[in-house]
Amino acid sequence: MSQLIDNTPSTPGKLKPEKSLYIHNRFKIHSSFSKLTLWFSFFLAFIIFFIIISLPATTPTPFSNRRSLGATWGGSDWEKSVTKSARRATNRAVLVTGAAGFVGTHVSLALKRRGDGVLGLDNFNRYYDPNLKRARQSLLERAGVFVVDGDINDEALLRKLFDVVPFTHVMHLAAQAGVRYAMQNPGSYVHSNIAGFVGLLEACKSANPQPAIVWASSSSVYGLNSKVPFSEKDRTDQPASLYAATKKAGEEIAHTYNHIYGLSITGLRFFTVYGPWGRPDMAYFFFAKNILKGKQISIFQDPDRGTVARDFTYIDDIVKGCLGALDTAKKSTGSGGKKKGPAQLRVFNLGNTSPVPVTELVTILEKLLKVEAKKKMVPMPRNGDVRFTHANISLAHQELGYWPTTDLETGLKKFVRWYLDFYSGSKKKSAW
């Protein structure tokens, strides 16, 4: 009873000053345990941090410039391969980035055929089947073009390449392509199309002599522009996708390096390039694949149930535009990172000037493949795609002599012939 009385408040709402030994000890134990947990957490975090920084850099961060970004490079044999590939019969030595890509392969072969020194650079990423990229690499090697397995974000590699070869030109075609993939992996676009471009321009502005640069922008920069055909003077401040935004950013970055360092820079806005050795993520490519497999294909419609149209441009025409831009590029005016005078800055549309509805593309593929497609019309998703593209190429025609000559059916016929040959399992046939 006395214990019960002692633990009862003498005044309602107030406890007696003395606390039970049980409560006091419980509080002390709880406090000690909390401190112990806190210190253990700090210790564990420190151990994890130490382990992480001690690990070898097998998976580089997006903006790392470590040598591990690419495959192994360097050594006397490697340098001999680089030098031999860049050896030239003309006055041009060209570094082609993205050389194992679709456009990069065709441009590299065209440059090599006419006697230019050509060195390729590609990181062979897995955005689409790397086996196709390796097959293109084999094609280039048979033509005498060595492709360095490395990344444009690798500062040490770029510096080494410019030390070994005094490039007169850079054909920058490396990029993270694709409009829809940006919704899955946005960081890859910033890594390649912005950080990678800046890294390359840094290497170029520090080189002596500075090379002239031709690089691949995109028709995607026109975004939500409704004025047709698209002209280089039209507004490009309404990108419809992250991919388009990174290409627009590239054009602004090019202006900056031209203005500050005297780099001669030409940007090319490609319009829906197609043809042999193309990209599997492009509609014409996966339409052909799915039609042959009897799978259903989805064809986008705009909100008014009108079909989507594209200014499909055959790869050989694009190559002519790339070479025309390179041949008319003036020398950079800087040296060792210092500008000595105004430098050339240009941008051109490279298209076919004849937009074709995607439904017509499918009809042509059905005819060439001799298989009827299982078609499904679906609303255009809000993923960055635009309803139509249409190039005004008058400036490119005037300045570069550019004029496309391949209509869609002729170009698709060449693509289908290559596709059936390449995927038939027979590697002995020529794909050209």
Side-chain angles (χ1 to χ4, degrees), residues 274-318:
Y274 73 99
W277 295 98
R279 282 186 7 226
D281 64 318
M282 298 291 286
Y284 73 94
F285 200 113
F286 63 75
F287 278 174
K289 176 183 177 181
N290 289 337
I291 289 172
L292 287 171
K293 289 187 174 183
K295 293 184 177 180
Q296 181 177 272
I297 61 172
S298 297
I299 302 173
F300 293 155
Q301 288 181 316
D302 67 20
D304 299 324
R305 293 187 178 275
T307 186
V308 172
R310 290 287 181 268
D311 199 350
F312 295 103
T313 313
Y314 188 63
I315 183 62
D316 287 359
D317 292 323
I318 289 292

Side-chain angles (χ1 to χ4, degrees), residues 5-299:
I5 293 171
D6 288 342
N7 286 331
T8 304
S10 58
T11 305
K14 294 184 179 180
L15 291 173
K16 296 183 71 173
E18 297 87 355
K19 297 181 179 177
S20 71
L21 184 61
Y22 170 76
I23 296 174
H24 181 69
N25 288 341
R26 185 179 179 185
F27 176 77
K28 287 180 64 179
I29 292 171
H30 177 73
S31 176
S32 299
F33 182 77
S34 297
K35 289 181 180 177
L36 182 62
T37 302
L38 180 63
W39 282 108
F40 180 78
S41 298
F42 278 127
F43 178 75
L44 184 61
F46 175 79
I47 293 298
I48 292 173
F49 174 76
F50 181 79
I51 291 173
I52 290 173
I53 64 174
S54 300
L55 288 173
T58 54
T59 306
T61 55
F63 296 97
S64 170
N65 62 3
R66 293 172 181 263
R67 180 168 171 165
S68 61
L69 272 169
T72 55
W73 54 267
S76 59
D77 289 341
W78 178 85
E79 285 195 28
K80 287 178 182 177
S81 296
V82 168
T83 304
K84 181 180 178 181
S85 184
R87 193 174 297 141
R88 59 198 197 251
T90 67
N91 60 352
R92 289 175 294 269
V94 188
L95 173 64
V96 181
T97 69
F102 173 31
V103 179
T105 295
H106 285 270
V107 169
S108 296
L109 289 170
L111 292 171
K112 195 67 177 179
R113 285 191 196 109
R114 71 180 197 176
D116 290 0
V118 183
L119 179 68
L121 174 62
D122 205 292
N123 68 357
F124 297 92
N125 69 26
R126 302 186 66 84
Y127 169 60
Y128 60 80
D129 184 10
N131 291 323
L132 177 57
K133 298 179 183 181
R134 292 298 181 183
R136 296 185 189 128
Q137 180 187 23
S138 297
L139 187 69
L140 290 171
E141 288 178 347
R142 291 197 296 272
V145 178
F146 179 60
V147 182
V148 175
D149 191 339
D151 197 290
I152 56 174
N153 283 279
D154 191 335
E155 179 185 334
L157 171 58
L158 290 179
R159 189 165 54 246
K160 181 65 175 179
L161 292 176
F162 278 92
D163 284 344
V164 175
V165 180
F167 295 107
T168 60
H169 297 79
V170 170
M171 182 68 70
H172 177 47
L173 301 171
Q176 177 56 64
V179 169
R180 298 165 208 159
Y181 184 62
M183 299 183 73
Q184 301 175 40
N185 189 1
S188 66
Y189 290 78
V190 178
H191 175 63
S192 296
N193 302 356
I194 296 179
F197 191 29
V198 169
L200 180 66
L201 291 175
E202 280 290 306
C204 291
K205 63 100 169 173
S206 300
N208 192 9
Q210 290 179 338
I213 302 160
V214 177
W215 74 286
S217 183
S218 169
S219 62
S220 295
V221 299
Y222 291 110
L224 302 179
N225 177 40
S226 59
K227 174 184 168 295
V228 291
F230 299 158
S231 167
E232 292 88 347
K233 295 180 180 179
D234 291 343
R235 64 185 299 181
T236 54
D237 59 351
Q238 295 178 301
S241 66
L242 178 61
Y243 169 69
T246 60
K247 286 298 186 178
K248 172 61 178 174
E251 293 188 355
E252 301 304 321
I253 291 167
H255 178 276
T256 302
Y257 275 79
N258 168 268
H259 172 69
I260 297 176
Y261 300 110
L263 286 173
S264 169
I265 306 178
T266 301
L268 303 176
R269 294 172 178 171
F270 295 158
F271 281 72
T272 317
V273 190
Y274 73 99
W277 295 98
R279 282 186 7 226
D281 64 318
M282 298 291 286
Y284 73 94
F285 200 113
F286 63 75
F287 278 174
K289 176 183 177 181
N290 289 337
I291 289 172
L292 287 171
K293 289 187 174 183
K295 293 184 177 180
Q296 181 177 272
I297 61 172
S298 297
I299 302 173

Side-chain angles (χ1 to χ4, degrees), residues 238-413:
Q238 295 178 301
S241 66
L242 178 61
Y243 169 69
T246 60
K247 286 298 186 178
K248 172 61 178 174
E251 293 188 355
E252 301 304 321
I253 291 167
H255 178 276
T256 302
Y257 275 79
N258 168 268
H259 172 69
I260 297 176
Y261 300 110
L263 286 173
S264 169
I265 306 178
T266 301
L268 303 176
R269 294 172 178 171
F270 295 158
F271 281 72
T272 317
V273 190
Y274 73 99
W277 295 98
R279 282 186 7 226
D281 64 318
M282 298 291 286
Y284 73 94
F285 200 113
F286 63 75
F287 278 174
K289 176 183 177 181
N290 289 337
I291 289 172
L292 287 171
K293 289 187 174 183
K295 293 184 177 180
Q296 181 177 272
I297 61 172
S298 297
I299 302 173
F300 293 155
Q301 288 181 316
D302 67 20
D304 299 324
R305 293 187 178 275
T307 186
V308 172
R310 290 287 181 268
D311 199 350
F312 295 103
T313 313
Y314 188 63
I315 183 62
D316 287 359
D317 292 323
I318 289 292
V319 170
K320 292 174 186 175
C322 289
L323 270 59
L326 188 142
D327 292 343
T328 57
K330 295 181 179 178
K331 292 182 178 180
S332 293
T333 62
S335 177
K338 294 183 179 180
K339 179 179 179 179
K340 295 184 178 180
Q344 186 182 54
L345 180 67
R346 307 179 295 174
V347 64
F348 297 104
N349 289 337
L350 294 186
N352 198 50
T353 75
S354 302
V356 177
V358 175
T359 50
E360 186 175 331
L361 166 78
V362 173
T363 299
I364 296 172
L365 284 174
E366 289 177 312
K367 174 184 174 182
L368 295 172
L369 295 169
K370 298 180 174 58
V371 180
E372 185 176 352
K374 297 177 181 178
K375 301 180 283 288
K376 181 182 179 181
M377 306 303 292
V378 297
M380 178 179 287
R382 302 178 68 86
N383 60 6
D385 273 320
V386 294
R387 178 183 169 190
F388 57 85
T389 58
H390 185 183
N392 178 337
I393 61 168
S394 57
L395 184 62
H397 178 62
Q398 178 183 337
E399 299 290 330
L400 311 180
Y402 173 75
W403 194 256
T405 58
T406 311
D407 63 82
L408 184 59
E409 183 164 356
T410 300
L412 285 177
K413 185 180 295 184

